[in-house]
């Protein structure tokens, strides 16, 4: 019985997020005609596939106790580089490889600077945000439309699920990425080291874990996920523009918080941000079905949810610390007797 209670305490934020998502979808289903359908559910993945990828990559950074504010700007840079190269007649496959490598290098550079000079991630990634956004305008201040046949085909390609329902290729990419991230977090040394760093970096170093290498790789992964998300976003928009993905970094962080990732690091489930993104998507869909509400209501509701989940996280941390204190007292009494 105690083991079951302990598991439920560890999973409470993720369970709360799943319950929130199901509750919001149920409210929409009861209130609006046509809301309760498989295609509406699948559209949540189609419209938010890029954000699922970005938030899933960002989760490793937050689990380690860091932050990456550059993800939205890297998405915009990815769209601009892709559109510019395609406009000049570059092979689309080479374009995809180049932008993914660009994301990895950008993230790796940020991670190296953070670790090498012991700088706070907020400062370094904020500089990365301005740099990536500035490079977008260095390429072009105007929007560049993408007409490449392969990108257009990938954008409109539908994977049919039966006769009526479908998903896009972007959904498939996002699901594979989430599954891969879950595997890495749970079954690899890298994943265990990320959690250890977030829990206590000094203890992780004393245990002989590769802290320096892992912290750099964490930001390289975030850069890769931002570039991959940017590529998916490019399929979605079929254009490159310096103003794309403005504020997306805040949406990704919000998805992680709502998905149960502790901002101080060391706790959370990699699948959580996906449910955070879907919950935010349901809120936006409900507002669209309502028709009379401003789109800013999405931000208001998400803001309220963030307050709730931050308080919930704090309560869990306090309760966990109390439990540890109680266990230590019991151990001392047992040794004394």
């Amino acid at each position: 019985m105690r083991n079951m209670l302990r598991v439920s305490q560890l999973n409470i934020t993720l369970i709360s997020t799943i319950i929130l998502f199901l509750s919001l979808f149920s409210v929409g289903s009861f209130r609006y005609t046509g809301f309760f359908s498989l295609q509406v559910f699948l559209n949540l993945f189609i419209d938010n596939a890029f954000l699922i990828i970005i938030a899933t990559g960002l989760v490793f950074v937050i689990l380690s106790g860091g932050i990456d504010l550059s993800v939205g700007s890297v998405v915009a840079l990815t769209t601009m580089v892709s559109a510019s190269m395609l406009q000049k007649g570059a092979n689309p496959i080479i374009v995809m490889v180049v932008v993914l490598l660009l994301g990895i290098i950008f993230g790796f550079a940020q991670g190296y600077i953070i670790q090498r000079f012991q700088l706070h991630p907020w400062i370094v990634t904020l500089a990365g945000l301005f740099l990536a956004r500035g490079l977008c305008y260095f390429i072009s201040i105007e929007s560049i439309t993408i007409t490449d046949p392969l990108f257009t085909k990938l954008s409109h390609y539908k994977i049919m699920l039966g006769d009526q329902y479908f998903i896009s290729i972007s959904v498939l990419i996002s699901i594979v990425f989430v599954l891969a991230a879950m595997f890495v977090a749970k079954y690899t040394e890298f994943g265990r080291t990320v959690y250890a760093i977030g829990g206590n970096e000094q203890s992780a170093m004393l245990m002989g874990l590769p802290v320096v290498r892992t912290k750099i790789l964490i930001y390289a992964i975030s850069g890769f996920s931002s570039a991959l998300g940017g590529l998916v976003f490019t399929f979605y928009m079929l254009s490159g523009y310096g103003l794309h993905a403005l504020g997306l970094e805040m949406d990704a962080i919000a998805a992680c918080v709502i998905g149960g990732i502790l901002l101080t690091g060391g706790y959370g489930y990699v699948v959580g941000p996906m449910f955070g993104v879907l919950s935010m998507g349901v809120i936006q869909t409900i507002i669209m079905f309502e028709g009379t509400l401003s789109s800013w209501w999405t931000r208001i509701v998400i803001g309220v949810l963030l307050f709730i989940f931050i308080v919930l996280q704090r309560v869990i941390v306090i309760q966990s610390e109390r439990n540890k204190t109680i266990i230590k007292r019991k151990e001392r009494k047992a040794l004394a007797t």
Side-chain angles (χ1 to χ4, degrees), residues 5 11 15 46 55 65 69 71 84 105 111 118 133 142 145 176 179 209 223 259 263 305 316 319-320:
L5 182 60
N11 295 335
I15 292 171
I46 294 171
L69 299 177
V71 293
S84 177
I105 294 169
Q118 294 299 302
R133 191 70 69 175
E142 303 291 338
T145 303
V176 170
L179 292 175
L209 296 175
L263 285 175
L305 289 176
I316 291 172
Q319 187 61 43
S320 177

Side-chain angles (χ1 to χ4, degrees), residues 283-284 287-288 291-302:
I283 294 168
Q284 191 171 12
I287 291 172
M288 288 175 60
T292 57
L293 295 176
S294 169
S295 60
W296 284 106
W297 274 99
T298 303
R299 300 294 181 184
I300 294 171
V301 176
I302 290 173

Side-chain angles (χ1 to χ4, degrees), residues 29-265:
S29 299
F30 281 111
R31 183 173 175 81
Y32 307 107
T33 303
F35 193 100
F36 185 71
S37 70
L38 180 59
Q39 192 56 56
V40 170
F41 175 76
L42 294 175
N43 285 343
L44 294 175
F45 286 90
I46 294 171
D47 296 335
N48 297 285
F50 64 93
L51 185 54
I52 290 173
I53 294 170
I54 295 163
T56 302
L58 182 62
V59 74
F60 287 101
V61 177
I62 297 178
L63 282 173
S64 70
I67 199 70
D68 189 352
L69 299 177
S70 67
V71 293
S73 296
V74 173
V75 169
L77 181 60
T78 300
T79 67
M80 285 300 291
V81 171
S82 300
S84 177
M85 289 182 69
L86 291 170
Q87 189 181 51
K88 294 176 181 177
N91 185 293
I93 302 298
I94 293 177
V95 171
M96 295 179 195
V97 174
V98 167
V99 295
L100 291 177
L101 288 175
L102 177 64
I104 293 172
I105 294 169
F106 195 91
F108 183 90
Q110 290 188 128
Y112 179 80
I113 293 170
I114 290 168
Q115 184 58 36
R116 177 67 178 81
F117 300 101
Q118 294 299 302
L119 297 173
H120 199 287
W122 282 90
I123 302 301
V124 176
T125 58
L126 181 62
L129 180 154
F130 288 120
L131 174 61
R133 191 70 69 175
L135 288 173
C136 291
Y137 296 111
F138 181 78
I139 296 171
S140 176
I141 60 173
E142 303 291 338
S143 176
I144 303 174
T145 303
I146 294 174
T147 58
D148 178 77
L150 180 59
F151 270 66
T152 304
K153 184 177 181 179
L154 290 173
S155 175
H156 298 113
Y157 188 78
K158 296 179 180 179
I159 301 172
M160 299 304 299
L161 304 176
D163 296 330
Q164 299 179 340
Y165 309 110
F166 65 91
I167 58 174
S168 64
I169 192 71
S170 299
V171 175
L172 191 61
I173 294 172
S174 66
I175 292 174
V176 170
F177 187 79
V178 172
L179 292 175
M182 290 171 63
F183 177 83
V184 169
K186 189 171 183 179
Y187 296 107
T188 67
E189 180 189 1
F190 173 82
R192 291 189 291 270
T193 304
V194 170
Y195 279 97
I197 293 171
N200 191 313
E201 185 174 338
Q202 293 300 321
S203 297
M205 292 182 71
L206 291 173
M207 287 189 291
L209 296 175
V211 173
V212 174
R213 182 182 68 190
T214 302
K215 287 185 71 174
I216 295 174
L217 287 176
I218 286 167
Y219 287 92
I221 289 174
S222 180
F224 170 77
S225 68
S226 300
L228 182 61
L231 201 55
V232 169
F233 188 79
T234 306
F235 296 153
Y236 188 74
M237 299 296 292
L238 283 180
S239 67
Y241 190 31
L243 292 177
H244 276 331
L246 274 177
L248 187 66
E249 56 279 348
M250 295 296 108
D251 290 334
I253 294 171
C256 288
V257 173
I258 295 173
I261 307 301
L262 199 64
L263 285 175
T264 52

